[in-house]
Amino acid sequence: MSARIPSLVIAVWVMLIPAVLDESHAMTVSNRVIAPIAISAAVIAFGSSTRALRLVHLPLAAWLLVSAAVLGAPAATRLVVALTAVALGIAAVPGGRVAGDYGGGWWPVIDGLREGR
Amino acid sequence: MTSTNSSSPPRRASSAAAGGPADAAPGWSQNPSSWSSRILLAALSAVGLLVSTYLTLYQLKVLHSVWEPIFGGGSRYVLRSSRLSRSLPFPDAALGALNYAADLVVGLPGPPDRWRRRPWQVLLLVPAVVPMAVVGVGLMILQGAVYHRFCTLCISSAALASVIVAVTMPEVLAACQHVVAAHRQGGSWRGAILGEGGR
């Protein structure tokens, strides 16, 4: 569970970037589209049975990285956004400790649905 | 996706989870339908219902001001002046209140092993809780990217919706595992979802 705390903190930071740093309107919109998705995914991924949702942060981090390169902002802001993207991506990788047993998780369900087709 | 014990055989849990160890799902260390998790869901839904009802009353102009400790006039704008607040013939916060009420109605009742006796009821939690989280994210995006104004209680409600999804999903997972296992044993999907033979 504690493995998700950095992800949540970084996602909230993405939401705060437009209020703290100077950036273009396009980058503000981009950050404020990404941040709610990232925050919600981080919160839901706190659950042991839903921790896979943390992987949503990987494409979001990739988009942040792209936005730092292509959307208008001062160099310092671009650097901060790029570093934030890298941190968001890295924080999404560790699954963390699973509290308790969950009967094999979602894989038995996925396998059963495949067989049931 | 949780993959713990993916290769271990199903077993009854030995923990004395609320609802009794016999109610734990195979391969689980706790009862996913325990009263402790259901009461947590009910408490979160009740808070969401209170917040949404308060916001609805403000949108209906029954209340003349709204609590906003952080964003100044943000709540006033988002709740009464934004295009979204005027797009429906009724207050949009009422949809949230209805949804949280549905969470309470679907999430609270049922036997302590409803994941296997009433999988349909547990699966009903998915349309009850997931859309609310998705809508919450959408509203946050609108506030941040379109209106550039925020509403503290709306953000709280959206965060609550995500927490409720995290709290609900273990039981949904157990019900899904049970339905798939019952189908594998030769039962129909309909019978498995209705919990036939799950007692």
Side-chain angles (χ1 to χ4, degrees):
Chain A
M1 185 186 258
S2 58
R4 299 281 66 80
I5 292 172
S7 295
L8 181 59
V9 171
I10 296 165
V12 171
W13 164 243
V14 175
M15 193 73 176
L16 295 175
I17 287 175
V20 177
L21 300 174
D22 184 27
E23 62 182 21
S24 68
H25 179 72
M27 190 176 268
T28 297
V29 169
S30 168
N31 287 345
R32 286 185 170 167
V33 168
I34 287 173
I37 301 170
I39 291 170
S40 182
V43 169
I44 295 172
F46 266 86
S48 292
S49 61
T50 44
R51 65 186 185 137
L53 213 63
R54 75 190 188 278
L55 300 176
V56 167
H57 284 175
L58 293 177
L60 295 179
W63 170 248
L64 264 184
L65 208 52
V66 170
S67 76
V70 302
L71 300 180
T77 303
R78 286 177 183 224
L79 180 64
V80 170
V81 171
L83 290 174
T84 302
V86 171
L88 188 67
I90 290 172
V93 176
R97 197 175 64 84
V98 177
D101 297 326
Y102 290 86
W106 291 98
W107 291 116
V109 178
I110 294 166
D111 290 344
L113 290 174
R114 275 189 196 141
E115 285 175 20
R117 270 190 211 164
Chain B
M1 263 164 239
T2 308
S3 56
T4 311
N5 275 358
S6 58
S7 58
S8 61
R11 58 178 168 76
R12 291 281 180 212
S14 58
S15 69
D23 295 327
W28 284 60
S29 54
Q30 74 276 344
N31 173 14
S33 298
S34 69
W35 280 106
S36 58
S37 59
R38 263 193 262 182
I39 286 170
L40 178 60
L41 168 63
L44 293 168
S45 302
V47 172
L49 180 59
L50 282 174
V51 170
S52 300
T53 304
Y54 174 74
L55 296 177
T56 302
L57 291 174
Y58 177 71
Q59 286 191 304
L60 287 171
K61 299 183 179 171
V62 174
L63 299 174
H64 299 295
S65 62
V66 66
W67 186 69
E68 177 48 83
I70 304 171
F71 302 111
S75 286
R76 196 166 55 242
Y77 177 81
V78 168
L79 292 166
R80 279 195 182 167
S81 306
S82 65
R83 184 180 285 185
L84 177 72
S85 69
R86 290 180 274 115
S87 62
L88 298 172
F90 51 86
D92 55 314
L95 284 178
L98 274 176
N99 201 278
Y100 284 120
D103 291 356
L104 272 173
V105 170
V106 178
L108 204 50
D113 60 342
R114 67 178 181 178
W115 59 268
R116 95 182 131 198
R117 286 174 67 182
R118 291 190 194 171
W120 59 270
Q121 186 184 352
V122 178
L123 295 178
L124 267 181
L125 283 168
V126 176
V129 303
V130 173
M132 186 66 188
V134 173
V135 168
V137 169
L139 291 175
M140 287 293 306
I141 290 173
L142 269 180
Q143 288 179 34
V146 180
Y147 303 144
H148 303 288
R149 296 178 202 212
F150 294 95
C151 156
T152 303
L153 288 177
C154 308
I155 293 173
S156 308
S157 179
L160 207 55
S162 294
V163 175
I164 286 174
V165 171
V167 168
T168 306
M169 279 303 136
E171 193 178 7
V172 171
L173 171 60
C176 287
Q177 288 176 349
H178 174 73
V179 166
V180 165
H183 178 68
R184 270 181 163 171
Q185 288 167 6
S188 66
W189 282 115
R190 183 176 175 277
I193 290 170
L194 291 177
E196 291 164 6
R199 290 157 202 250

